[in-house]
Structures are given as C-alpha cells and as structure tokens.
Amino acid sequence: MSRKLVTYPEEILSRKAVPVDVIDDAIRELVRDMAEIMYENRGIGLAAPQVGEGLRVIIVDLSGPEKRENLMVLVNPEITDFQGECDSEEGCLSVTGYQSVVKRAEKIQVRALDLDGNEVFLDAENLLSTCLQHEIDHLDGVLFIDRISRLKRKFYDKRLARWLSKKD
Ligand code: NI
C-alpha cells in the first residue's frame, strides 16, 4: 500500500474534496487502504483527504480497532438535518498530540451512498453523530482545530511549530 496518513498542516487537509462519480475498484481499494490506516492508528473514523485523496469518502467504525465489527463506508455524504447542540471532546489522527472540546449538533440526519452505490439515510446521535460531523468536515477542508477558540488554536500552532523544528 502506497497510501499513508497525512497530517496537519499538509495542504490537502484544508482543500474541499470532490464528489465520487463512479464507485469502481479504485474506490473500493481506497476504502480498504483507509480502513487499514484507520485501524493501524487506532482511530474510529477517517476521511479520504487524510490519506491524500481529495474525494468525498468517509469511514467510521465505533467498535474500534480491536473488534473491527462495524465498518461504515459513506460515499458523498451530506448532512440533511441538524438538531440541538453538544460539547464533543475530539482529537484527529491528522492533528498530532492535541484534543479539545468542540461544539457540535446533537443529532443529525445523513444521506450518502454505500459502496454498492445504494442511497442510504441515517439518523445519528451521540458519538456517531459527532464522529460523522467531524469526518464530513474533513471533506470540506475543515479540521476540528478550525472550530476551537483563536487563543487555543494559536497555542496549538506554536506548540506544533516547536515540535516540528525539533524533529528535523
Ligand atoms: Ni479527523
């Protein structure tokens, strides 16, 4: 597998991803790679831009990297309804060493295609809801650190710059 996890501040993470036209073998291979990378890095969700592909594809598996029981693949997902508000404690595989509370909608409705090209509709709440909002944000070039206060963001960017300068 040539794909690997892309991390902030790589440019593709802030770019809007394009819709998938045809669900073919290339897309199925992309999804396999995404799942492998997500599980390897102990994540519960991943979006295609995080492996360097600017396509509207996300995966979520709340059962976690040990069980791997419930992989959900959504192609061209769209949030069609938002309800309520909640505080969501988030991190991201593409944002190294940082977690923060983000405001999210409490419940959402999502419309998408599955890997067979069938239209699927789902109602999500709790962790599934916030996770889907986080992953769909990735498709619009938005990271959870774009949704925190300016002061917190400054603090994170400074710390990252210090860390990156030590690395080379
Ligand atoms: Ni993320």
Side-chain angles (χ1 to χ4, degrees):
M1 179 176 62
S2 58
R3 293 188 174 101
K4 62 179 179 54
L5 187 66
V6 169
T7 53
Y8 173 77
E10 278 195 54
E11 199 255 328
I12 190 162
L13 293 173
S14 56
R15 227 189 287 155
K16 206 171 157 76
V18 301
V20 172
D21 279 337
V22 186
I23 299 171
D24 55 10
D25 284 346
I27 296 297
R28 283 183 279 272
E29 191 193 300
L30 166 65
V31 167
R32 273 198 299 276
D33 287 356
M34 285 170 66
E36 195 176 317
I37 289 170
M38 177 180 76
Y39 290 134
E40 221 169 67
N41 290 280
R42 315 191 59 72
I44 54 170
L46 200 73
Q50 294 182 273
V51 301
E53 301 290 346
L55 290 168
R56 301 187 81 80
V57 178
I58 64 170
I59 60 172
V60 169
D61 189 346
L62 298 187
S63 75
E66 280 88 23
K67 291 193 181 149
R68 308 185 179 194
E69 274 169 355
N70 202 6
L71 185 67
M72 180 188 286
V73 179
L74 298 179
V75 176
N76 300 340
E78 267 176 69
I79 300 177
T80 54
D81 191 45
F82 296 87
Q83 271 178 48
E85 197 184 65
C86 66
D87 287 329
S88 165
E89 169 87 34
E90 298 188 13
C92 176
L93 294 181
S94 294
V95 179
T96 314
Y98 189 69
Q99 289 186 341
S100 185
V101 171
V102 185
K103 286 260 181 257
R104 296 285 185 191
E106 197 178 355
K107 295 180 185 179
I108 55 169
Q109 285 181 347
V110 176
R111 178 176 63 204
L113 298 176
D114 66 16
L115 258 193
D116 298 317
N118 299 314
E119 201 166 24
V120 290
F121 298 90
L122 54 116
D123 291 302
E125 54 185 15
N126 302 321
L127 185 59
L128 181 60
S129 166
T130 54
C131 189
L132 287 171
Q133 290 174 71
H134 176 118
E135 301 313 331
I136 292 170
D137 260 359
H138 273 296
L139 305 182
D140 293 322
V142 176
L143 299 175
F144 82 97
I145 50 172
D146 296 321
R147 295 187 179 278
I148 59 180
S149 75
R150 216 188 283 177
L151 195 69
K152 279 188 184 167
R153 175 59 178 267
K154 225 185 212 171
F155 169 79
Y156 176 69
D157 280 334
K158 253 190 206 160
R159 205 172 67 180
L160 182 71
R162 220 179 309 134
W163 185 70
L164 288 175
S165 69
K166 269 186 207 152
K167 222 171 68 168
D168 337 299

